[in-house]
């Protein structure tokens, strides 16, 4: 027996337009979360803690260029304009907790 994962696409068509919008947004948020790699998550958490590129590179034992590549990838995936926007979007999506210490 094959068990298919539950998707929002199976939601009945008689739901109100606002509810469909919310479900579509939730689905999009889940897709964004699934796109992030473990290393991107680590970089994002370090950015949220206020670390700069060099500090993150030292922490993760990689080059500054590698961190900049991860940062650019995160900015693209979350459609952020700068580091502050990146962290705010990550908090709103539930990717990082608001009390990230």
């Amino acid at each position: 027996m094959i068990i298919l994962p539950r998707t929002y696409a199976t939601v009945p068509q008689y739901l109100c337009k606002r509810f469909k919008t919310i479900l579509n947004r939730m689905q999009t948020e889940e897709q964004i979360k699934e796109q992030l790699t473990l290393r991107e998550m680590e970089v994002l958490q370090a950015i949220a803690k206020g670390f700069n590129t060099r500090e993150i590179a030292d922490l993760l034992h990689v080059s500054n260029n590698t961190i900049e590549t991860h940062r650019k990838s995160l900015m693209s995936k979350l459609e952020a304009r700068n580091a502050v926007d990146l962290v705010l979007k990550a908090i709103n999506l539930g990717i990082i907790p608001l009390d990230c210490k």
Side-chain angles (χ1 to χ4, degrees), residues 1 6 10 18 24 56 59-60 68 71 79 86 96 100:
M1 180 168 86
R6 185 174 177 189
T10 61
R18 174 77 175 136
N24 287 337
I56 299 170
L59 180 71
L60 300 178
E68 284 302 319
R71 186 187 302 263
E79 299 177 357
L86 181 66
I96 56 174
C100 186

Side-chain angles (χ1 to χ4, degrees), residues 15-89:
L15 297 175
C16 72
K17 186 176 182 179
R18 174 77 175 136
F19 190 69
K20 285 182 187 178
T21 302
I22 292 169
L23 286 176
N24 287 337
R25 181 175 173 226
M26 289 172 56
Q27 185 175 16
T28 302
E29 290 173 0
E30 286 301 317
Q31 289 171 344
I32 291 171
K33 289 179 193 177
E34 290 172 2
Q35 287 179 0
L36 299 182
T37 66
L38 179 60
R39 187 59 93 174
E40 287 172 340
M41 292 288 288
E42 292 171 335
V43 171
L44 183 56
Q45 289 172 352
I47 292 169
K49 291 178 183 177
F51 290 106
N52 63 33
T53 299
R54 184 179 36 81
E55 293 169 331
I56 299 170
D58 291 343
L59 180 71
L60 300 178
H61 308 289
V62 295
S63 73
N64 289 353
N65 288 337
T66 301
I67 298 304
E68 284 302 319
T69 299
H70 288 308
R71 186 187 302 263
K72 288 176 187 176
S73 176
L74 286 164
M75 301 277 276
S76 175
K77 288 178 181 180
L78 296 180
E79 299 177 357
R81 296 179 304 264
N82 54 45
V84 173
D85 192 30
L86 181 66
V87 172
L88 287 173
K89 288 185 177 194

